[in-house]
Amino acid sequence: DLGSRLAQVVTTASDAVNNAQELYQIITGQSYFDFNETNSELANHLDALRTQVSLTQASIDKLEINSNFSGINQLNTLKNKLPDLHQQIELGLNLSKILPKVINQPEPKTYLVLIQNNSELRPTGGFIAAYSLLTFKDGRLIDVETKDVYSADAQLNGQVNPPEPIKTNLGESNWYLRDSNWSPHFPSSAQQAEWFLNKELNRQVDGVIGLNLFVLRQLIQATGPLEITGQAHPITADNLFEIVEYGSQIDLSDSSPQKNEILVPITEALISKLREGQVKLNLLTKALNQSLDQAQLIAYHNLPEIQTLLESYNWSGTIKNPSCPPRFNQQNCTNQTFSLIES
């Protein structure tokens, strides 16, 4: 029974992987298959795979295994891998629901990606060192622009009074995009970043994505080393933090604000590899799964129905106000939540 179920899992997983590769090629412009059809096939295969994995787990749980059984190590290995597989299936199903609404539209959809250096503490994941603007149309990535955050901030006309801690503790008399992520509630910081982007560059976006160096490191594991002009050695998952930290210490003076500029060519090289398909899809899935699960990668969308989906998946960086547990009298129950935020 277990062997039969495993055969079904392998067959369906193979079909799902083929669909995922096709969908990835569509998004990156390497293929011109129909986005909706491919996405629908992927969702169907993942749904079937979820059922098959659950039945396989149940079959394993029913087994009474003698400690002398020669295949016990292989069986335990399989048993330990099934929860990870189940997590990846759930991620794929969630993405298949949200991607069509986010990127597969006839009119262009542009998203602001905040590249946050977590070696400098900020509430949503780190100091905003650089940003990318990703534009999608009909399910395909059609334009990418990556810049140092100071290049945008230099174009702000007028005075914007910052929050008091930025003024008193950081000595900043003005407020810019680079410090827009001051609220630990990411939807608030994302809206503030959108406001600054509009004032500085006259650009409107449909949503905001926040990611940090942990995410970049995971993605580099999926793509392999990055060759950067001017860097003596390739940038790898192992040396990323060291190179970024060294780059951020070159010159901390106000007259040379390009202390995080190394993140621009790193991001450009990474996106280039992803667009060219130079990536191991299983490692990319693992990177997305872990980054979203740990809230190293968070997202906000301007449309309420999509934002609600993001919140339901715990992908939104939202600080929640939980309701009182049902076992308590709702009229006499008060929640008090505590969160430690370092900036």
Side-chain angles (χ1 to χ4, degrees), residues 35-237:
F35 181 98
N36 284 332
E37 183 179 335
T38 305
N39 188 66
S40 179
E41 288 180 4
L42 174 61
N44 290 337
H45 283 129
L46 288 174
D47 191 46
L49 186 60
R50 177 170 57 182
T51 301
Q52 292 166 3
V53 168
S54 296
L55 292 173
T56 301
Q57 182 71 63
S59 293
I60 292 176
D61 292 341
K62 287 179 183 177
L63 291 176
E64 295 180 10
I65 304 170
N66 188 296
S67 59
N68 296 323
F69 172 55
S70 62
I72 192 168
N73 289 336
Q74 292 92 328
L75 196 59
N76 285 332
T77 299
L78 171 64
K79 189 174 181 178
N80 292 334
K81 286 189 174 183
L82 287 179
D84 288 339
L85 179 57
H86 188 79
Q87 276 192 332
Q88 293 196 21
I89 292 168
E90 290 298 327
L91 171 65
L93 284 169
N94 291 340
L95 285 174
S96 69
K97 292 175 186 176
I98 206 168
L99 279 180
K101 301 174 183 179
V102 171
I103 66 173
N104 188 35
Q105 298 296 318
E107 67 278 0
K109 298 291 181 183
T110 300
Y111 297 96
L112 169 64
V113 181
L114 303 176
I115 301 152
Q116 303 174 113
N117 183 351
N118 44 274
S119 67
E120 297 185 53
L121 292 175
R122 291 295 187 276
T124 68
F127 176 77
I128 300 172
Y131 68 92
S132 288
L133 292 169
L134 308 181
T135 302
F136 298 86
K137 185 176 184 294
D138 295 324
R140 290 172 174 81
L141 179 61
I142 61 172
D143 188 57
V144 179
E145 181 183 344
T146 303
K147 298 286 186 182
D148 182 271
V149 71
Y150 287 95
S151 66
D153 288 344
Q155 300 181 58
L156 179 66
N157 294 318
Q159 172 81 19
V160 182
N161 290 324
E164 192 60 33
I166 293 180
K167 184 184 297 183
T168 57
N169 295 83
L170 298 183
E172 294 278 357
S173 59
N174 209 347
W175 199 10
Y176 299 96
L177 175 62
R178 61 179 180 263
D179 286 324
S180 61
N181 58 342
W182 198 251
S183 169
H185 181 67
F186 187 68
S188 297
S189 283
Q191 291 173 47
Q192 189 66 62
E194 288 186 3
W195 185 88
F196 274 112
L197 189 76
N198 179 251
K199 296 301 178 184
E200 294 179 355
L201 301 179
N202 194 28
R203 295 289 299 269
Q204 301 275 1
V205 293
D206 297 280
V208 182
I209 298 167
L211 56 86
N212 59 24
L213 299 186
F214 290 110
V215 181
L216 294 183
R217 182 172 66 182
Q218 291 270 48
L219 292 175
I220 292 172
Q221 285 178 337
T223 63
L226 306 176
E227 299 286 346
I228 305 293
T229 303
Q231 286 289 319
H233 303 286
I235 293 175
T236 67

Side-chain angles (χ1 to χ4, degrees), residues 7-19:
Q8 289 180 325
V9 166
V10 170
T11 300
T12 309
S14 177
D15 291 336
V17 167
N18 289 335
N19 290 144

Side-chain angles (χ1 to χ4, degrees), residues 257-274:
Q258 312 303 323
K259 58 183 180 178
N260 289 280
E261 65 180 1
I262 185 64
L263 280 172
V264 174
I266 288 175
T267 304
E268 289 176 333
L270 184 58
I271 292 175
S272 179
K273 270 202 165 187
L274 290 170

